[in-house]
Amino acid sequence: MSKNATNGSSHGSSEFVVGCRKSELALTQARMVISKLTSAMSLPPTFRIATGSAAGDADKTTPFLQLSKQQGGSDVGKSLWTNDLEKSLLAGDAHFLVHCLKDMPTTLPPKCLLAAVPEREDPTDAVIMRTGSQFTSIDQLPAGSVVGSSSSRRRALIRMNWPHLKVAECRGNVDTRLAKLDAPSSPFACILLATAGLSRLGLEHRITQRLDPSTFPYAVGQGALGIEVRTDCEDIVHLVRHTDHKPSRWPCIAERAMLRSLQGGCSSPIGVYSSWDPAVGNKLRLQATVIDMEGTARIFAEDECLVDDDEAAEQLGISVADLLVKKGAEQLLRK
């Protein structure tokens, strides 16, 4: 990244530097945010994308759960995707960062702020069958079929919902995983990916099935983008908030508060399902599920409230975490 893009709280240049990872999806998402900013402002500034490295991209063979445990747990382990970029942000090499929100730890480094959450895409998980497959649903797969995923949550939910299927590690960017799926020697009958990432890359035609979040809850923040800035750059905070979308922001804040309150350094799979009803006074319902790694036990809790600011969303997330703990979630978390 270029040096000294941001110095202090005032922006002195005519160009804003946007930091992101090097993948095609990350670049697409950064361009989306720039497009939203440009269309939202009467006199938009110029923007330049600067890509940075992520430790999680360097090791593409070690299972993510193992990498995560080395970092201290699945939430803390998300820093594998953000730490190096945040160093660039704090060093002044970028004005703001664009992340997949599900990749952002719920506790950010000092002087870093989640300033905006643009409108959320479909947060569901998608089933992608091999090219030429006769199957149109994961329910149709015969016993022993292999499903590829690098997510501990997806793997646990597969074991819970389809115990007759096998699950195997499948890491890499979207193109890499699709290539692994379609390879002549592929062991996979299908793989699972986030619907949103496929949509953003123009790959919706590869989606065979979108999984119902009431039975296959998605990851905290899935489908949303997070824009991260330095807390001492108020003008940059003001700039990126042109993209902020409250009906997306508040469910994500509730989900992240639940995870932060509940999880600590554990690595147990946790899924969520948020629903927002503006017709009933901005009522937000949050459902959360903690699953054991083998998919043999689950603990579920839900709560709802009227939300019109960040604090109310935070309190809803904490309430759902408290309900999970009362139902014995800590035993699964320790396991």
Side-chain angles (χ1 to χ4, degrees), residues 55-67 70 81 149-150 155 168-173 176-177 180:
D57 291 322
D59 182 346
K60 297 185 178 181
T61 56
T62 304
F64 177 69
L65 181 58
Q66 183 177 334
L67 288 173
Q70 292 170 3
W81 312 114
S149 175
S150 61
R155 291 157 72 97
E169 188 78 14
C170 184
R171 284 193 59 195
N173 60 32
T176 299
R177 296 190 209 190
K180 289 180 179 179

Side-chain angles (χ1 to χ4, degrees), residues 140-162:
Q140 299 171 353
L141 292 177
S145 298
V146 179
V147 181
S149 175
S150 61
S151 159
S152 60
R153 172 188 57 85
R154 290 174 183 147
R155 291 157 72 97
L157 284 166
I158 292 165
R159 293 181 179 115
M160 175 165 286
N161 289 300
W162 301 282

Side-chain angles (χ1 to χ4, degrees), residues 80-256:
L80 287 164
W81 312 114
T82 61
N83 265 355
D84 290 341
L85 291 173
E86 286 164 342
K87 290 176 183 176
S88 296
L89 178 69
L90 293 171
D93 298 342
H95 293 103
F96 60 90
L97 306 176
V98 177
H99 305 286
C100 286
L101 187 58
K102 70 182 179 66
D103 292 338
M104 293 183 71
T106 58
T107 299
L108 300 181
K111 300 184 180 180
C112 290
L113 170 71
L114 174 59
V117 178
E119 186 170 1
R120 193 178 199 173
E121 293 265 3
D122 182 345
T124 61
D125 290 289
V127 178
I128 302 94
M129 295 291 177
R130 295 183 65 173
T131 298
S133 174
Q134 62 180 308
F135 303 111
T136 58
S137 166
I138 194 171
D139 301 291
Q140 299 171 353
L141 292 177
S145 298
V146 179
V147 181
S149 175
S150 61
S151 159
S152 60
R153 172 188 57 85
R154 290 174 183 147
R155 291 157 72 97
L157 284 166
I158 292 165
R159 293 181 179 115
M160 175 165 286
N161 289 300
W162 301 282
H164 62 290
L165 301 180
K166 296 180 179 179
V167 289
E169 188 78 14
C170 184
R171 284 193 59 195
N173 60 32
V174 173
D175 287 342
T176 299
R177 296 190 209 190
L178 290 175
K180 289 180 179 179
L181 171 67
D182 292 334
S185 59
S186 173
F188 306 117
C190 68
I191 60 174
L192 301 189
L193 293 171
T195 297
L198 292 163
S199 298
R200 289 172 183 146
L201 290 171
L203 293 170
E204 279 189 292
H205 63 280
R206 288 302 311 261
I207 297 175
T208 306
Q209 176 187 12
R210 301 185 191 207
L211 295 172
D212 185 343
S214 64
T215 56
F216 206 94
Y218 44 81
V220 165
Q222 184 161 304
L225 301 178
I227 303 179
E228 187 174 7
V229 305
R230 281 168 44 178
T231 56
D232 62 350
C233 295
E234 295 181 4
D235 53 341
I236 309 301
V237 173
H238 178 74
L239 170 73
V240 302
R241 283 193 171 156
H242 283 88
T243 71
D244 199 46
H245 184 250
K246 294 298 191 295
S248 300
R249 177 185 182 87
W250 290 332
C252 289
I253 284 179
E255 293 168 18
R256 287 169 61 80

Side-chain angles (χ1 to χ4, degrees), residues 20-36:
C20 69
R21 288 163 61 190
K22 297 177 180 178
S23 72
E24 186 57 38
L25 177 58
L27 287 165
T28 297
Q29 292 169 166
R31 294 183 192 113
M32 289 172 58
V33 169
I34 290 171
S35 177
K36 288 178 182 290

